[in-house]
Amino acid sequence: EAGVAQSPRYKIIEKRQSVAFWCNPISGHATLYWYQQILGQGPKLLIQFQNNGVVDDSQLPKDRFSAERLKGVDSTLKIQPAKLEDSAVYLCASSQSPGTGRSYEQYFGPGTRLTVT
Amino acid sequence: DQQVKQNSPSLSVQEGRISILNCDYTNSMFDYFLWYKKYPAEGPTFLISISSIKDKNEDGRFTVFLNKSAKHLSLHIVPSQPGDSAVYFCAAKHGSSNTGKLIFGQGTTLQVKP
């Protein structure tokens, strides 16, 4: 079974530029998460999708971050304009729908390391 | 407000000995606790979980203990192997939420010396 795929793996941009990250979850997983992991900290949830609807985006800086999940499969996370403090690893994860099996177990992709200079 | 805390940033253990990683939490509404392992340049990998209605869960060399009264859980690795060297994250899920949102600790870097 293929895991969660993410691209690009690394990205370096200047502040005020824009950047986009892509995620393809595990086949059949209806729930998709985007996390931000700053160096020395644990992952922090930015946004959660259930199919193509947003379930939780309470910690997403909506003035500069946006995300979408068209057709309930792939997802993109965009930052525009980027700030220095956005330098972090952006992790995508997926899980089964709530209430099904071990839906609390999330499976992570390799992440995208973003450096803003 | 750090609801899940891993107070030890690092731990060094000799190969073959026991590794004990600790995690404290503040919210009594958490209903599942999970441990993830992370190697450099990779995403976190699910390791083991425990429901809040249990006090122990074992899977091979890995055992997680939950002490609800102390709001404390620990991960025991016995025997420790050099390949276990990684960052370990404790995470918790809020029971009243159906979103599946996980709250992560800061992580503990484990080094197992040959």
Side-chain angles (χ1 to χ4, degrees):
Chain A
E1 180 184 78
V4 177
Q6 288 188 249
S7 68
R9 292 296 309 274
Y10 304 91
K11 190 73 176 179
I12 300 174
I13 62 172
E14 295 182 352
K15 58 183 178 183
R16 291 187 290 274
Q17 286 187 323
S18 62
V19 65
F21 313 126
W22 173 83
C23 172
N24 180 250
I26 292 174
S27 178
H29 279 189
T31 309
L32 184 146
Y33 312 80
W34 282 103
Y35 287 87
Q36 179 192 57
Q37 185 182 9
I38 294 173
L39 188 64
Q41 299 180 20
K44 183 185 81 172
L45 180 70
L46 292 175
I47 188 168
Q48 177 187 343
F49 291 94
Q50 181 70 28
N51 296 307
N52 56 352
V54 175
V55 175
D56 185 346
D57 63 356
S58 56
Q59 297 198 79
L60 185 75
K62 299 180 185 65
D63 58 334
R64 298 184 300 107
F65 286 64
S66 65
E68 61 181 8
R69 189 182 184 197
L70 300 176
K71 300 181 181 178
V73 181
D74 293 6
S75 178
T76 56
L77 176 69
K78 297 179 181 177
I79 308 175
Q80 181 180 12
K83 293 185 175 181
L84 295 176
E85 58 260 37
D86 297 332
S87 294
V89 175
Y90 290 85
L91 294 162
C92 179
S94 69
S95 68
Q96 298 176 17
S97 298
T100 58
R102 289 154 63 156
S103 58
Y104 52 85
E105 292 179 15
Q106 297 180 18
Y107 297 85
F108 286 82
T112 297
R113 180 175 295 278
L114 173 67
T115 302
V116 182
T117 63
Chain B
D1 178 25
Q2 189 76 26
Q3 297 187 65
V4 179
K5 293 183 180 180
Q6 294 175 257
N7 293 316
S8 298
S10 63
L11 174 68
S12 183
V13 171
Q14 205 67 34
E15 180 179 6
R17 306 295 291 268
I18 184 172
S19 294
I20 301 176
L21 296 99
N22 294 303
C23 179
D24 296 299
Y25 62 96
T26 57
N27 195 328
S28 58
M29 295 301 292
F30 290 141
D31 67 344
Y32 273 100
F33 301 90
L34 301 86
W35 284 94
Y36 281 83
K37 178 170 73 173
K38 185 181 183 304
Y39 292 120
E42 295 183 13
T45 303
F46 171 74
L47 196 56
I48 191 169
S49 65
I50 187 167
S51 164
S52 61
I53 62 173
K54 298 191 174 181
D55 55 17
K56 177 182 175 181
N57 187 28
E58 191 172 353
D59 184 1
R61 296 186 298 114
F62 303 91
T63 303
V64 57
F65 295 93
L66 176 62
N67 183 334
K68 287 182 66 178
S69 61
K71 292 189 176 67
H72 176 84
L73 65 155
S74 59
L75 174 67
H76 293 213
I77 306 174
V78 182
S80 300
Q81 300 173 354
D84 295 328
S85 297
V87 179
Y88 288 78
F89 290 99
C90 168
K93 187 184 83 67
H94 198 284
S96 65
S97 165
N98 63 358
T99 68
K101 175 180 178 179
L102 295 180
I103 309 296
F104 284 83
Q106 311 95 304
T108 296
T109 300
L110 173 66
Q111 182 186 26
V112 180
K113 297 179 179 179

